[in-house]
Amino acid sequence: MFVTVVEEGGVGRAALALGITQPAVSQYLRALEEHVGHPLFERQGRHLVLSKVGAALLPEARRVVQALEGFQRVSQAMGRVEMGEVSFGASTTMATYVVPSYLKDFHDRHPGVRVHVESGSSERLAERLRLGELEFAILEGVEHWEGYERHLFYEDELVLIVPPEHPWAERETIPPDRLAKETLVVRKPGSMTWRVLERAFEQAGLELNPTFYTDNNEVTKRLVMAGAGVGIVSRVVVQPNLKVGNLRALRLEEPVGELRRVFWLVHPRSVANPAAQALIALMGS
């Protein structure tokens, strides 16, 4: 009211600008003067002019109005997902090879939203999610949790990879017992890749005896391309290599057979953040 009276040049004009009655404007001004403890205006003839106290408070009042308008803009924009922040986690494989295309699409739709992506093991990210430190996560090997929902995000498989000059390069499948004579490169024990492999070979009654253990899919691929051995990785990891032809992918035959991997998008049943809701909807579609 105070700022509008100053800008409009009087109580009557301020009332018209604000769409309320003149007595209501006068009442609000009196309440503000009582709160301040000094008159904000002095009457000179038919005109109101700022008192010394009013002149001193006017810049501060304008800053308050600007701050309130900014607060309103931000709150309304967040409701429309025009801005805000999202924090989520994704297993290393998904964060590296699948999630980026979704984030590009999300940014095209909501360029004002900041997105924080944390990659790592499914176990660590699951713990962070359940502690409330992440808004949602893309995980492998999760069961149904009470109070959470999960949606299928990505289905993948583990494949054997060899360089194009390898004797197996033109094959589509290979008996798993042939690996016993090869130098094998795999992810380190404890990783989800290792667990899937170990379980499948144990059930088939075969021994898995790698020479190289890595903590990074790119290292595994580089070792194989250098001719150091044959590797086992997720198919999504080698899709770019298969296109350019510097690696070949084979499936393992029975008794090991197809090695499937399933990644889930997991989030609390109730997600309050509109930006997180929008990203979950995009990734879950």
Side-chain angles (χ1 to χ4, degrees):
M1 296 290 177
F2 173 50
V3 171
T4 305
V5 168
V6 174
E7 291 177 345
E8 294 295 326
V11 173
R13 291 180 179 178
L16 287 173
L18 295 168
I20 60 176
T21 65
Q22 186 170 330
V25 175
S26 298
Q27 183 180 349
Y28 280 118
L29 282 180
R30 282 196 298 272
L32 181 58
E33 288 178 329
E34 288 175 5
H35 177 74
V36 172
H38 298 279
L40 300 174
F41 294 94
E42 296 174 354
R43 183 168 292 280
Q44 293 183 355
R46 302 174 110 188
H47 303 287
L48 283 180
V49 296
L50 283 170
S51 67
K52 288 185 178 180
V53 172
L57 289 179
L58 181 59
E60 302 302 326
R62 283 182 167 142
R63 275 193 279 271
V64 170
V65 172
Q66 289 172 355
L68 289 171
E69 290 173 347
F71 179 88
Q72 187 175 22
R73 284 195 302 273
V74 170
S75 62
Q76 291 174 345
M78 288 188 70
R80 298 193 300 270
V81 203
E82 289 180 3
M83 59 192 306
E85 296 193 19
V86 185
S87 296
F88 78 98
S91 66
T92 302
T93 298
M94 292 294 101
T96 306
Y97 302 100
V98 179
V99 165
S101 62
Y102 284 96
L103 295 185
K104 194 271 182 186
D105 290 344
F106 184 76
H107 179 69
D108 289 344
R109 300 182 190 190
H110 310 291
V113 177
R114 292 188 181 93
V115 181
H116 303 266
V117 188
E118 182 174 335
S119 64
S121 69
S122 290
E123 294 89 344
R124 185 175 66 83
L125 295 176
E127 181 180 0
R128 300 251 297 138
L129 176 62
R130 301 189 76 169
L131 288 173
E133 296 171 352
L134 298 171
E135 294 179 272
F136 68 93
I138 297 166
L139 310 169
E140 183 179 9
V142 295
E143 303 297 329
H144 286 289
W145 302 339
E146 185 176 353
Y148 289 79
E149 294 183 9
R150 71 172 189 171
H151 311 277
L152 179 63
F153 178 72
Y154 196 88
E155 287 189 83
D156 194 18
E157 64 174 331
L158 296 179
V159 293
L160 187 75
I161 57 172
V162 298
E165 62 274 10
H166 194 278
W168 298 348
E170 300 306 316
R171 300 188 58 148
E172 293 185 0
T173 63
I174 199 76
D177 57 5
R178 297 280 297 275
L179 296 180
K181 299 179 181 180
E182 295 288 327
T183 301
L184 189 59
V185 187
V186 300
R187 292 292 297 275
K188 64 182 181 180
S191 67
M192 292 302 295
T193 299
W194 171 259
R195 293 179 188 180
V196 172
L197 282 173
E198 186 178 44
R199 182 168 57 250
F201 273 73
E202 283 181 354
Q203 291 174 350
L206 298 172
E207 184 179 0
L208 190 63
N209 188 27
T211 302
F212 293 103
Y213 296 96
T214 75
D215 64 352
N216 185 292
N217 288 314
E218 292 301 315
V219 174
T220 301
K221 291 197 297 181
R222 293 290 177 178
L223 281 168
V224 173
M225 286 189 284
V230 300
I232 299 178
V233 296
S234 287
R235 181 176 287 276
V236 68
V237 169
V238 292
Q239 289 290 17
N241 304 88
L242 300 180
K243 288 181 180 179
V244 299
N246 58 6
L247 284 174
R248 301 283 191 272
L250 302 80
R251 288 190 173 96
L252 293 172
E253 297 173 3
E254 297 295 342
V256 172
E258 192 175 46
L259 298 167
R260 303 298 296 175
R261 301 181 69 182
V262 178
F263 295 87
W264 301 91
L265 191 158
V266 185
H267 62 84
R269 194 160 290 147
S270 176
V271 178
N273 181 358
Q277 291 173 0
L279 186 51
I280 289 169
L282 176 65
M283 289 184 163
S285 61

